[in-house]
Amino acid sequence: MTYNLPTKEGYYGNFGGKFVPEILIPVLEELEEAYEEAWNDNSFRKEYHQLLDEYVGRPTKLTYANRLTDHYGKARIYLKREDLCHTGAHKINNAVGQILLAQRMGKDRIIAETGAGQHGVATATACAKFGVDCIVYMGAEDMERQKLNVERMRLLGTEVRPVTSGSETLKDATNEAIRDWVTNVEDTFYIIGSVVGPHPYPKMVRNFHQVIGDETRQQLQKAEDTEVPDYLLACVGGGSNAMGIFYPFIDDESVEMYGLEAAGHGANTDQTAATLTIGQPGVLHGSMSYLLHNSEGQIQLAHSISAGLDYPGIGPEHSYLHDSGRVTYKGITDEKAMEGVKLLSETEGIIPALETAHAVSYLDELMPRTSKDEIVVLNCSGRGDKDMGTISKNL
Amino acid sequence: MIKTDNRITQLFERNEGSEKIMSLFLTAGYPDLEATVDLILGFEKNGAEMIELGMPFSDPLADGPTIQYSSNVAIEQGITMKKILHIVEQVREESNIPIILMGYINPVLRYGTEEFCKDAAEAGVDGLIIPDIPVEESKVLTDKVAKYDLPMIYLVAPNTSDERMRKIDQQSQGFVYCVSVTGVTGAREGDEIAQSVQRFIGRVKENVTKNPQMVGFGIKSHEDAQRIAADMDGFIVGSAVIDTIREHYLEEGWKDEVFAFVRSLKYGKE
């Protein structure tokens, strides 16, 4: 590969870095060293891939979406089925990777934060599998919105700690998790659930998810006799599923990549989470990236129908890919996302997560300018069971 | 090089070898804008020798509930960076107490680093503490702070290695802020600090040789301060002061209660 970011300091162009209190610097240095060593160690890679195979259920299928393809009558559409992963979303790839790393580092107390609950559930699952104590911070409002996932985490033996500060959502759960980490640095491993946070997290989480893109290449070769699609689509909140599928294709210049972020009620309203569409660079949760913040630099609350995309920041690598023009980012409204849910459900018998639905709905805009000999791959990041409450309310 | 007429440098030079310097933290705009100026001037009259003025941020991830609360109150009441700098200007009309602005980098970036450093220096600010700017990330500010003679004060923590302490000492100007415990800001019970702090302070004494040393985090009484800062140049109190304001605010004569607490921090119970 010629693309070789981040730099040693954790930068993707102007974005990334380690904007954290002094207490966390030694911890991040230790993590960075342990991660690089593990990632270059065949026995670690082997154990990780064995877990992906036997426990997560990888490789996930690449499904040709014949009825969806017929619906548009243009390029052939494939779905990368991360919804078939154990626990119902791609998040588990990263959770098992980080728990293996935590074990290797001898850290036996795990903390995490969660918004929609998918990362929380994935972490709780991995912790149960390894018999490790786990605490998940979750905004009180999100706990109310995602009751089922709270129950799942509790059943898995995880303590879910409600966060009542600030907006009571993911942003505040993240602040609380960082505070816990700062206080318990000695024995605690913080499993961050997206390609956000201080270096080396964005890189590490991306690498634990790159299996999505790697498999896609192999599967396309078999199905279409080519490794590269013409178009790649993925939804973006923090951006982990998108980085996972984009990363192995960054050097393939012929691949057009689209990141679909949540525009909520519209990117130009105050009810939005479209960070790259309307945000400005800044620092939140340890890295420099695009953010939703006001003219005083105070972080603004994000809104999306999907709790998983409801975050005012985005991974620093996405900020770089946005500025460099390698990936095109578009905002999708709540309303359009709901149309995406219906479309995929009715044409393919797959109820997508509300996050994924943002990517599905972009097909309306993309497909008319594709041709029949082209290939579209859409990353189906998760399944919609967890969102049925919201979906039925908005249908 | 920090200028010799910097108020922080002059303070430590004046104080050489005598009493422990007391620095108090106050969130700008808490409990309200007008009170902030009165409190700073009152803190000085009651024993404070340096002020750390907090620039409120919506997501203060290194702070405990107390400072988080006071920051939210100030933001809700419409505090802005301009108003914070105006507070400093108002204090400067009556006082020469060193004032350090302390806060997270995002509002500073949004204001514009060059403009911020220029305006802060002109308002009479003597230094900056930005907890989410470790030395590795200092480049976002170094040129500008140098241009406007604004010292950057860095922190060391109990898990900072000896080698790193020496590096931080080299880059820090004015003093080095020694975080007594691993954790967020906030008053703690005494024995929670005592156990590990002595070993940490021993390491600070060996490795921080260029700058004076101030210790903070978790100090809530004169006794805490004297014990923890025994080998340091001084101590910093934040959350305990804000807790006292919060407890008495809206009572008649609440400022006197706060000032009595400030005196007790410096001199012990009357």
Side-chain angles (χ1 to χ4, degrees):
Chain A
M1 270 186 108
T2 56
Y3 180 84
N4 61 355
L5 296 178
T7 62
K8 202 171 138 287
E9 292 76 29
Y11 273 86
Y12 307 83
N14 296 322
F15 305 102
K18 285 184 204 161
F19 293 86
V20 293
E22 173 61 25
I23 291 169
L24 292 181
I25 292 287
V27 184
L28 288 171
E29 283 175 350
E30 182 195 0
L31 173 64
E32 203 175 334
E33 200 177 308
Y35 168 71
E36 293 297 341
E37 192 211 35
W39 198 238
N40 292 312
D41 175 351
N42 285 335
S43 69
F44 179 85
R45 292 280 270 266
K46 199 177 154 203
E47 199 180 352
Y48 165 65
H49 281 285
Q50 197 169 350
L51 267 170
L52 291 183
D53 176 28
E54 293 170 7
Y55 188 65
V56 173
R58 300 206 75 91
T60 58
K61 298 294 178 189
L62 184 73
T63 303
Y64 174 57
N66 63 309
R67 294 198 62 232
L68 188 60
T69 300
D70 290 348
H71 174 79
Y72 291 105
K74 292 281 192 172
R76 293 188 297 289
I77 303 169
Y78 284 86
L79 304 171
K80 180 58 177 163
R81 301 290 306 282
E82 294 303 292
D83 58 315
L84 297 178
C85 286
H86 179 44
T87 71
H90 70 289
K91 295 285 183 191
I92 190 83
N93 302 326
N94 172 55
V96 298
Q98 288 199 45
I99 196 113
L100 272 183
L101 187 59
Q103 295 268 295
R104 193 179 167 102
M105 293 175 73
K107 308 252 178 183
D108 51 10
R109 180 177 180 269
I110 301 293
I111 57 166
E113 88 300 317
T114 197
Q118 286 309 96
H119 171 57
V121 168
T123 304
T125 300
C127 287
K129 175 75 178 156
F130 281 84
V132 200
D133 286 342
C134 178
I135 294 161
V136 169
Y137 289 89
M138 191 169 182
E141 192 185 313
D142 285 340
M143 285 178 73
E144 192 58 38
R145 290 198 286 187
Q146 304 285 338
K147 276 186 192 158
L148 189 62
N149 275 342
V150 173
E151 288 312 312
R152 289 166 82 189
M153 285 185 270
R154 287 182 174 150
L155 183 61
L156 292 160
T158 280
E159 180 191 343
V160 182
R161 285 196 187 159
V163 174
T164 52
S165 58
S167 59
E168 306 191 348
T169 62
L170 177 58
K171 160 178 96 72
D172 306 283
T174 307
N175 291 338
E176 268 335 304
I178 294 173
R179 289 183 185 117
D180 179 314
W181 194 24
V182 165
T183 311
N184 301 290
V185 282
E186 289 299 317
D187 64 344
T188 299
F189 190 103
Y190 178 17
I191 298 190
I192 291 185
S194 195
V195 286
V196 299
H199 179 65
Y201 279 100
K203 174 185 180 181
M204 192 166 76
V205 176
R206 175 195 75 189
N207 292 357
F208 282 135
H209 281 304
Q210 80 174 79
V211 63
I212 306 172
D214 288 342
E215 285 175 8
T216 302
R217 294 187 81 101
Q218 288 168 13
Q219 291 165 325
L220 268 182
Q221 179 66 49
K222 214 171 153 192
E224 291 279 351
D225 205 21
T226 173
E227 277 196 2
V228 290
D230 297 284
Y231 307 92
L232 261 183
L233 270 60
C235 64
V236 178
S240 63
N241 89 86
M243 272 327 302
I245 196 161
F246 290 167
Y247 178 54
F249 293 98
I250 288 179
D251 280 340
D252 298 291
E253 285 169 20
S254 66
V255 183
E256 281 186 31
M257 303 201 256
Y258 294 88
L260 293 316
E261 53 179 13
H265 294 177
N268 295 320
T269 68
D270 59 359
Q271 297 282 302
T272 185
T275 313
L276 288 177
T277 313
I278 60 155
Q280 299 286 333
V283 169
L284 177 67
H285 297 148
S287 65
M288 176 86 74
S289 194
Y290 276 86
L291 297 178
L292 297 178
H293 49 160
N294 68 17
S295 59
E296 283 293 317
Q298 307 295 350
I299 307 302
Q300 285 183 326
L301 295 187
H303 163 83
S304 166
I305 191 170
S306 162
L309 302 180
D310 194 350
Y311 182 66
I314 192 164
E317 192 163 16
H318 285 293
S319 294
Y320 168 76
L321 294 170
H322 168 70
D323 277 12
S324 67
R326 179 64 190 93
V327 178
T328 304
Y329 295 86
K330 300 273 188 182
I332 302 289
T333 61
D334 290 349
E335 203 181 333
K336 284 292 293 176
M338 279 303 301
E339 288 174 20
V341 171
K342 281 183 70 177
L343 179 65
L344 196 65
S345 301
E346 289 170 6
T347 56
E348 294 296 333
I350 295 169
I351 301 173
L354 276 168
E355 293 88 334
T356 308
H358 286 73
V360 175
S361 97
Y362 186 66
L363 290 170
D364 277 353
E365 205 177 315
L366 175 76
M367 294 311 289
R369 52 188 181 82
T370 66
S371 60
K372 286 197 172 186
D373 59 350
E374 290 185 313
I375 301 163
V376 175
V377 174
L378 189 153
N379 198 25
C380 203
S381 59
R383 64 178 189 227
D385 307 34
K386 70 179 171 67
D387 294 319
M388 280 314 296
T390 315
I391 292 171
S392 55
K393 248 187 271 171
N394 287 277
L395 267 180
Chain B
M1 268 308 281
I2 186 167
K3 276 188 167 175
T4 49
D5 64 351
N6 181 282
R7 296 182 189 91
I8 301 172
T9 308
Q10 290 178 341
L11 170 65
F12 284 105
E13 275 170 5
R14 264 202 319 276
N15 191 62
E16 210 172 353
S18 54
E19 272 183 64
K20 301 297 169 200
I21 287 171
M22 178 167 84
S23 180
L24 298 185
F25 172 91
L26 181 64
T27 303
Y30 180 78
D32 57 61
L33 202 59
E34 294 71 34
T36 308
V37 177
D38 292 349
L39 287 171
I40 293 172
L41 295 171
F43 287 173
E44 184 180 22
K45 288 192 184 81
N46 289 280
E49 288 131 316
M50 187 152 61
I51 298 294
E52 286 165 33
L53 187 59
M55 301 182 280
F57 181 49
S58 53
D59 296 76
L61 52 82
D63 285 304
T66 298
I67 292 175
Q68 204 183 345
Y69 166 81
S70 61
S71 300
N72 287 339
V73 169
I75 293 167
E76 276 165 23
Q77 295 188 4
I79 191 76
T80 63
M81 295 297 260
K82 291 266 183 217
K83 287 178 184 171
I84 296 169
L85 295 175
H86 188 58
I87 289 170
V88 179
E89 286 167 352
Q90 285 174 282
V91 174
R92 277 289 161 261
E93 286 170 14
E94 298 186 39
S95 164
N96 251 325
I97 190 165
I99 299 176
I100 296 159
L101 290 184
M102 182 166 187
Y104 296 82
I105 189 64
N106 198 55
V108 173
L109 291 173
R110 198 71 208 254
Y111 192 95
T113 48
E114 167 112 32
E115 202 182 358
F116 173 78
C117 290
K118 178 173 179 280
D119 291 355
E122 280 175 11
V125 170
D126 302 293
L128 301 176
I129 300 176
I130 314 282
D132 56 350
I133 295 288
V135 286
E136 284 76 7
E137 302 296 350
S138 59
K139 59 194 173 294
V140 301
L141 281 173
T142 32
D143 294 353
K144 286 89 180 185
V145 292
K147 187 169 169 187
Y148 297 100
D149 290 320
L150 267 180
M152 277 284 282
I153 293 136
Y154 290 98
L155 293 81
V156 294
N159 61 344
T160 306
S161 68
D162 289 358
E163 187 190 352
R164 201 174 153 78
M165 278 187 187
R166 292 194 288 272
K167 181 174 158 189
I168 291 168
D169 185 30
Q170 284 313 307
Q171 297 208 28
S172 204
Q173 293 184 310
F175 62 91
V176 168
Y177 189 132
C178 309
V179 176
S180 63
V181 288
T182 51
V184 294
T185 59
R188 287 169 173 80
E189 292 311 312
D191 57 350
E192 205 181 323
I193 306 175
Q195 293 153 6
S196 61
V197 78
Q198 287 315 322
R199 205 167 60 87
F200 167 57
I201 284 174
R203 290 203 300 116
V204 169
K205 298 302 292 178
E206 276 172 35
N207 296 293
V208 176
T209 51
K210 186 188 112 185
N211 282 293
Q213 305 132 8
M214 297 285 286
V215 63
F217 276 43
I219 297 172
K220 63 177 189 336
S221 68
H222 178 68
E223 293 69 31
D224 284 350
Q226 294 304 309
R227 193 179 65 248
I228 295 167
D231 294 320
M232 303 265 103
D233 295 285
F235 61 93
I236 301 155
V237 185
S239 294
V241 173
I242 289 170
D243 281 336
T244 308
I245 297 172
R246 192 174 171 181
E247 194 185 333
H248 295 286
Y249 182 53
L250 299 179
E251 287 171 16
E252 204 171 323
W254 66 271
K255 284 181 195 156
D256 294 333
E257 291 284 346
V258 175
F259 297 146
F261 175 69
V262 166
R263 276 198 307 280
S264 80
L265 278 173
K266 173 84 178 182
Y267 306 108
K269 287 261 160 27
E270 287 161 3

